[in-house]
Structures are given as C-alpha cells and as structure tokens.
Amino acid sequence: MSVPRSDSRSAIPDRVIVYRTDIRGYYRHIQKAQLYNHQCRFVDEPALRQLLHQYLYYSVEDGSEIHTPGQGICRGCSLSPLMGASFLWFVDTAFAGRDDIDYVRYMDDFLFLSDRRWPVRRAQKRLYDYFDLTGFDCHPDKTQVGKISQGFDWLGIWFTDNGATGIAPRAKENHRQRCLRLYEQARRAGLSDREAQERVQQYKRRWMIWAESQLSAADMNNQGILI
C-alpha cells in the first residue's frame, strides 16, 4: 500500500517539516474510465479485462430505478482496496527515491517529511497537479502542513519530533463517539442495558487490539496511554 524512500519513524528525528493529507471521498470520486485504462496497462488477458469492466460498471437500484453510477467504485467489494491502492501507483513512482523528502502512502493517506520547507511545498504542488488530472480533492479536515514539533496524526498515532507519543486525539474521539452510537443503536433495537453494554465492550476489546498493534508498529511500549 505504500512506497516509502525510508521508514518514516526513523526519518522523524532528522526532519523538521511535515505535510499529510488524504483524498476526500476517494472511492466515490474515482473516474471509471481512468481506472480501467490504468488496469489495462498491466492486464493483457481479454477475459480478465472483461471482468474488470464488469466490476467497474456495476448497476445499482435507487428508488426502483436501476442505473450505472457515472463515477466511483463499490466500497463493499473485496477487490476495491486493491484497485484503489493500485490507482495511485503513479504518485508513488513520482515521489519514491527522492533525497529531499521522505514519502509514505497508505491507501489514500499521504505523508511527506523534509528538513526544509520548499521541498514539501514542491511536493504539495505536484500532488495537487495529479489531483487536478484525476478529479480528486484533499480532505480539509485531514490536511496538515507545519513543523513536526507541533505533532501530527498518522494512521491513528500521534507523532512529534520525539517520535510516536500515543494514540492520536482524533482516533480517541472517534472511539468515544463510536461507543456512544453503538449503545444508542442497541437500545433503539430493543436490547436491554446489559446487552447494549456488552456490545460496546466487544467493540472496545477489538479497538484495544487495534490500538496496541499500532503502538507496537510504532516501536512504543504499552505505557497506559491508549485512552
């Protein structure tokens, strides 16, 4: 899913400026024809191309009307993560191997690190040029540029110039909101208070597994800072 020049965690102590962003409504705004032409560059078999065409130009029902969406790919299909990740291969090749920045991508999340501001600005402009060609926009609430010392969120972990410091505030808030919604949904579905609480606890256990795995990947010890 990513093509970094080097490990972003090891690069942080040597870098000063960070730029991170992701694509707003990525799956929803993928241009079908662009993605199909991209896949045909690597897939020669006619039968596989036909399957790709069927995958892209699916039909949906909306108010008893059946139509084919003009753009976007299905979020629920198991093939979509592969298609979505491969479509950004051109961005990876444009930034990988550069000496003035460190580049990492996970799906449609982008991270640039540099010891100077201008390489980041040039990378930002080049990324926007690619977005103009493909019809994408940066998510305004998930775009950040500035000094690493001020901290930044990457895949749910909060990083500073000292490295990873714990679960990011946004991830914690999303976790709390999700717990509230699960409880309210369970109660509206007629579950008892005890059953609703158990459903929330099941989600919390799964979330803790995710959080601990993220902290482990960031080379952190469990220091009781998950919540």
Side-chain angles (χ1 to χ4, degrees), residues 7 10 14 40 47 51-52 54 67 70 103-104 109 118 121 132 137 147 152 175 178 183 200 204 214:
D7 192 302
S10 62
D14 300 325
C40 285
L51 288 174
L52 285 172
Q54 293 177 21
H67 71 283
Y103 165 72
V104 182
D109 291 322
W118 282 110
R121 289 183 176 178
D132 288 339
D137 292 311
K147 294 183 178 181
F152 65 94
H175 169 65
R178 176 63 174 163
Y183 179 81
V200 172
K204 285 186 174 182
Q214 290 295 86

Side-chain angles (χ1 to χ4, degrees), residues 76 107-108 130 219-220:
M107 288 303 295
D108 62 325
Y130 176 81
D219 296 329
M220 293 185 60

